[in-house]
Amino acid sequence: MTGTVVFDLDGTLADTAADLVAAANGCFSSRGLGALLDPVADAGIAFHGGRAMLRAGYARMPAGMILPGDAEDVDFARLLDFYEADIARHTTLYDGVDDALARLQDMGLILSICTNKPGALAEKLLAVLGIRDRFAALVGADTLPVRKPDPTAYREAVTRAGGEVARSFLVGDTETDVKTARAAGVKVALVGFGPEGPEIDRLGPDYLLHDFAGLPDLAQRWLGANAAARRKA
């Protein structure tokens, strides 16, 4: 059976931080707090999810201000609405993504997405960025009762795409991705060009990917893909 490469989305395929932070700041502004997060300095927080951004912002509120007990749940739903309404104003694919995906497909590999972004938002973003048709399957935060780092989410992303877990690996950008891969018993490559840069190697991935141009060679080494499998004469 051919191999499968599974990708995280935010911070791995696309730099979505500025739009995520803008959505969180929309929530804070609606409470009269202004923009509590910075799209550059807080990019790393953005890649840990909406609730992480909200909590970081709440920690910066003026002293003595108290929010209702349900503030986080209310604001999380509001954040998703803000984000969906303007999902790709600033978001861009990382350099070389589309070329790398095309080369992986030429090698006969199956591509899939496993993200903790809600499924509908992930589908919309990939479509707007023009790469949805590269992926045979997508598992989002709400596709299953569990999500990363539970290995069930990863395994489902592989099997829904028609692959085999034993012949797959994960490309991601956070500790969650490392934990997911370890739990699933597969290798993981982390990108070294996100907010944390090459320092992300501290998480102990099996490989640190410095740019997407190197991904096809890595897939060849790890999966033994046939580089001519889908190439047209």
Side-chain angles (χ1 to χ4, degrees):
M1 179 176 288
T2 189
T4 305
V5 184
V6 180
F7 294 85
D8 175 57
L9 176 49
D10 296 86
T12 298
L13 291 171
D15 184 352
T16 58
D19 287 319
L20 290 167
V21 169
N25 281 335
C27 297
F28 303 138
S29 295
S30 69
R31 292 188 180 275
L33 297 169
L36 297 177
L37 299 182
D38 181 89
V40 176
D42 295 319
I45 301 173
F47 293 141
H48 284 86
R51 290 184 184 273
M53 289 190 294
L54 293 174
R55 291 166 189 163
Y58 297 154
R60 301 175 188 178
M61 291 189 308
M65 183 167 185
I66 299 175
L67 294 176
D70 64 348
E72 184 178 314
D73 289 339
V74 170
D75 283 348
F76 182 68
R78 187 180 294 160
L79 183 154
L80 295 180
D81 288 340
F82 278 130
Y83 183 60
E84 183 175 15
D86 208 5
I87 199 168
R89 177 178 294 271
H90 305 290
T91 292
T92 57
L93 293 172
Y94 286 114
D95 289 344
V97 165
D98 201 36
D99 286 346
L101 297 179
R103 287 184 61 195
L104 292 172
Q105 288 183 312
D106 282 346
M107 293 165 65
L109 295 171
I110 302 169
L111 309 183
S112 188
I113 295 283
C114 186
T115 175
N116 279 350
K117 195 185 207 74
L121 293 178
E123 291 279 3
K124 180 175 181 177
L125 180 59
L126 289 169
V128 170
L129 294 174
I131 59 171
R132 177 61 184 93
D133 62 352
R134 295 287 189 192
F135 302 97
L138 184 153
V139 171
D142 50 0
T143 304
L144 305 171
V146 297
R147 56 189 237 169
K148 296 187 300 183
D150 190 305
T152 304
Y154 178 86
R155 292 171 185 142
E156 191 72 6
V158 175
T159 57
R160 286 192 181 198
E164 179 181 311
V165 173
R167 286 190 47 75
S168 72
F169 69 89
L170 176 61
V171 181
D173 72 306
T174 65
E175 184 177 15
T176 297
D177 294 311
V178 174
K179 289 180 176 179
T180 301
R182 298 296 178 242
V186 300
K187 290 183 177 180
V188 58
L190 292 184
V191 299
F193 41 79
E196 197 169 338
E199 294 302 313
I200 199 72
D201 197 40
R202 66 183 174 78
L203 297 177
D206 298 293
Y207 189 82
L208 183 65
L209 190 66
H210 295 287
D211 55 58
F212 270 99
L215 184 56
D217 286 343
L218 178 65
Q220 175 70 41
R221 293 200 301 273
W222 282 2
L223 299 175
N226 178 2
R230 291 188 182 179
R231 197 174 298 280
K232 301 293 185 182

